């Protein structure tokens, strides 16, 4: 492992805004589950998750724009989380935290109804058929999100993958979950509002995909 990564991992251990529970800690009963507002944010604001947040651009960018909401960026890769957590600390953003865990374990991290909104930003589309159950918008994941969300909670998916956009659209229609907004090309279809979060916040992967000429899609839905 590179020296830089080791340095970031060591710093991660000192960051008060980064929570890194072990699998055993989660399975034995995680103290923050159901208590994020009381024990982590120390306020009563709605909690928004960014799943597969990488360097946490949406977690940080939304936290800056919406100080009346709390944000938690979730990813399994510590070196990427370091970027978001250190940016939030440098900017004194107290309404954003980061959680290093597998998304599959989210229900051990948060209580039913503890979440008000979920962002899924540029996930791996898992195109191969045998990987279908790993897509972050596969029915198994949607069931998890529905249980974590408040009844009026929404999920946002921003992706460069036409495949994942179309797949998600289809799954939502089959399951009867109402789609609130959908664009197969945000630059072309979304009115050019400069401070719209879909345009104003761009992630590391988004920049890479845009350089390759990919169009960026967006879909937002609820479960009832
Ligand atoms: C393609 S990257 C996108 C990162 C970031 N959202 C962006 O747009 O730059 C996907 C991210 O999801 C994370 N990830 C994938 N599967 C995961 C899982 N099951 N649990 C936690 N993180 C996961 C990866 O570690 C990676 O950082």
């Amino acid at each position: 492992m590179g020296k830089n990564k080791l340095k970031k991992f060591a710093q991660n251990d000192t960051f008060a805004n980064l929570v890194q529970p072990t699998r055993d800690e989660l399975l034995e009963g995680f103290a923050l589950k159901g208590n994020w507002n009381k024990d982590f944010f120390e306020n009563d604001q709605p909690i928004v998750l960014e799943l597969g947040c990488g360097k946490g651009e949406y977690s940080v960018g939304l936290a800056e724009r919406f100080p009346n909401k709390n944000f938690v960026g979730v990813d399994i890769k510590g070196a990427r989380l370091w970027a978001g957590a250190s940016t939030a600390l440098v900017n004194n953003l107290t309404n954003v935290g980061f959680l290093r865990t597998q998304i599959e374990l989210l229900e051990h991290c948060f209580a039913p109804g503890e979440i008000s909104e979920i962002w899924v930003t540029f996930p791996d589309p898992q195109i191969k058929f045998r990987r279908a159950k790993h897509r972050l918008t596969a029915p198994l994941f949607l069931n998890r999100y529905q249980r974590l969300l408040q009844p009026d909670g929404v999920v946002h998916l921003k992706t460069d993958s036409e495949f994942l956009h179309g797949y998600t659209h289809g799954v939502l229609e089959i399951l009867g979950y109402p789609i609130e907004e959908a664009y197969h090309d945000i630059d072309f279809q979304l009115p050019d509002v400069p401070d719209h979060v879909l345009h104003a916040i761009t992630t590391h992967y988004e920049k890479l995909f845009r350089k390759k000429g990919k169009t960026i899609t967006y879909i937002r839905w609820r479960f009832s």
Side-chain angles (χ1 to χ4, degrees):
M1 189 180 301
K3 258 191 198 167
N4 210 19
K5 241 184 196 178
L6 288 175
K7 209 170 145 187
K8 286 178 181 171
F9 288 162
Q11 285 187 358
N12 277 353
D13 290 337
T14 70
F15 288 167
N17 63 353
L18 173 60
V19 184
Q20 305 186 83
T22 63
R23 190 183 172 84
D24 283 348
E25 280 168 347
L26 291 181
L27 299 183
E28 281 161 16
F30 183 44
L32 277 179
K33 179 176 173 174
N35 297 309
W36 280 83
N37 271 344
K38 181 167 67 73
D39 295 338
F40 186 83
F41 292 111
E42 299 179 354
N43 62 39
D44 284 331
Q45 304 188 143
I47 299 175
V48 181
L49 301 183
E50 183 190 5
L51 303 184
C53 70
K55 296 182 177 184
E57 290 91 344
Y58 263 87
S59 301
V60 169
L62 292 170
E64 284 169 339
R65 286 165 178 79
F66 300 100
N68 56 346
K69 293 183 183 183
N70 298 325
F71 296 85
V72 182
V74 181
D75 205 291
I76 195 60
K77 295 205 171 158
R80 291 184 183 172
L81 287 169
W82 176 90
S86 51
T87 305
L89 287 174
V90 168
N91 293 309
N92 290 318
L93 286 171
T94 55
N95 64 329
V96 58
F98 290 88
L99 171 64
R100 185 179 184 186
T101 194
Q102 285 182 305
I103 294 161
E104 289 79 353
L105 296 174
L106 271 189
E107 287 181 272
H108 295 280
C109 305
F110 299 93
E114 194 170 9
I115 305 303
S116 74
E117 230 174 287
I118 294 175
W119 280 80
V120 187
T121 52
F122 297 90
D124 184 333
Q126 306 284 4
I127 286 171
K128 287 187 181 158
F129 179 71
R130 62 184 169 78
R131 298 289 300 168
K133 65 176 189 293
H134 297 287
R135 287 177 203 142
L136 289 187
T137 54
L140 184 67
F141 281 95
L142 296 188
N143 290 342
R144 292 182 176 125
Y145 305 158
Q146 186 176 16
R147 288 191 289 266
L148 290 171
L149 282 168
Q150 293 159 4
D152 60 349
V154 296
V155 185
H156 313 250
L157 170 68
K158 190 182 184 191
T159 175
D160 65 295
S161 168
E162 281 176 33
F163 166 80
L164 188 67
H165 180 75
Y167 165 83
T168 304
H169 215 291
V171 169
L172 296 174
E173 279 188 2
I174 288 167
L175 296 176
Y177 296 144
I179 295 170
E180 291 191 334
E181 206 171 344
Y183 304 110
H184 57 78
D185 179 348
I186 61 167
D187 295 350
F188 182 63
Q189 292 178 287
L190 190 64
D192 190 17
V193 186
D195 57 355
H196 193 294
V197 293
L198 287 179
H199 292 303
I201 305 174
T202 51
T203 74
H204 176 69
Y205 274 84
E206 176 170 357
K207 289 187 183 91
L208 296 179
F209 294 132
R210 280 185 180 278
K211 267 191 195 156
K212 290 183 180 170
K214 295 276 194 85
T215 53
I216 306 301
T217 74
Y218 171 77
I219 187 164
R220 185 182 69 244
W221 69 92
R222 53 177 77 238
F223 290 102
S224 58

